[in-house]
Amino acid sequence: MAKNKKEDVIENSGLKTQTKNGIMAVVFFVLAIFFLMSYFKVAGVAGVFTYDIFDYLLGLGYFLLPTLCVLLGYSFIKSETPNIGWIRIISGLMFLLSSLGIIDIVGGKDISGLSRHSGGFLGEILAKPFISFFDTYVSLVFLSAILIISILIIFDAKLDLLPFLKKIWNFVLKKKTP
C-alpha cells in the first residue's frame, strides 16, 4: 500500500538521526537554562509566569525540571538508537512524577501537624494513593523503583548490580576488595 506524500515528508525529513537528536538536546538544554533563569526572576514576564505555575505544581521539586531537561539533553546527545525520543520523554515524566511523590512523602508534616506537600500539587496527587494503599516506607520503595527504572530508560542503560552486591558481601564478611 502506498504512503501518501504528507506521511512521507514527516517520516523522511531529510535529517539524520544524529541531527534530530542534536536538535532535541539543544531544545532541552535551552529549556533547562530558561527554567533556571525563571527561578532567579531574570527571564522576563514569561519566566515569572512559568515559574509561578511550576512552583505551584512541583513545589520544592521545581529544581527537578531543569535537572530533567539536562538529563534528557544529555541522553539525546549520547543516543545512538533512532526514534526513541517519545520513550525518553515519557520516562522523563516518570522521573519527575516519582521524584515529586518521594519529595512529598519525605517532606512530611509541619510543626502544626498538617501535611506540607513539599512535592507541590503533582507530588500530593501522586503520593496520596501510594500512602493510602501502602503506607510510607513501601510507597518510598515503589516510587524509588519507578525513579530508577525511568533513569535506566532515559539513558538506555544496563543495570549491573553484581559488582555492587559483591562489595556488600565482602564488607559483611570483612574481606578486602581488590
Side-chain angles (χ1 to χ4, degrees):
M1 188 183 282
K3 294 181 182 181
N4 68 30
K5 291 280 187 190
K6 190 173 184 179
E7 288 176 349
D8 202 29
V9 169
I10 291 172
E11 288 180 7
N12 299 322
S13 62
L15 298 176
K16 296 179 184 173
T17 301
Q18 295 88 353
T19 306
K20 291 177 188 176
N21 287 347
I23 292 169
M24 291 299 291
V26 169
V27 167
F28 281 115
F29 287 136
V30 168
L31 282 173
I33 292 168
F34 173 71
F35 290 135
L36 285 173
M37 292 177 79
S38 296
Y39 175 78
F40 292 108
K41 309 282 192 246
V42 292
V45 177
V48 170
F49 178 74
T50 302
Y51 174 75
D52 289 343
I53 289 173
F54 282 114
D55 182 50
Y56 170 73
L57 290 174
L58 309 177
L60 294 176
Y62 180 83
F63 287 104
L64 292 171
L65 200 54
T67 303
L68 173 62
C69 288
V70 168
L71 290 175
L72 285 171
Y74 177 75
S75 76
F76 274 102
I77 284 176
K78 98 174 195 49
S79 174
E80 295 177 11
T81 310
N83 300 324
I84 61 168
W86 283 108
I87 294 171
R88 287 198 172 141
I89 292 171
I90 290 169
S91 65
L93 289 173
M94 287 174 35
F95 168 84
L96 182 64
L97 292 174
S98 60
S99 298
L100 291 174
I102 291 169
I103 290 170
D104 199 70
I105 292 170
V106 171
K109 301 181 184 318
D110 61 14
I111 298 172
S112 65
L114 298 172
S115 291
R116 263 197 302 234
H117 300 300
S118 304
F121 181 70
L122 294 176
E124 176 185 359
I125 288 174
L126 186 67
K128 272 188 178 181
F130 273 95
I131 294 291
S132 321
F133 288 116
F134 303 112
D135 204 23
T136 303
Y137 298 111
V138 174
S139 296
L140 288 173
V141 168
F142 285 158
L143 289 172
S144 297
I146 293 170
L147 178 66
I148 292 168
I149 290 167
S150 67
I151 291 171
L152 290 172
I153 293 171
I154 288 172
F155 292 110
D156 194 19
K158 172 183 154 188
L159 183 62
D160 191 11
L161 290 175
L162 192 58
F164 177 70
L165 294 174
K166 283 182 180 179
K167 286 182 182 181
I168 291 175
W169 184 251
N170 289 334
F171 177 76
V172 169
L173 296 177
K174 304 217 189 285
K175 291 182 180 179
K176 289 188 177 182
T177 56

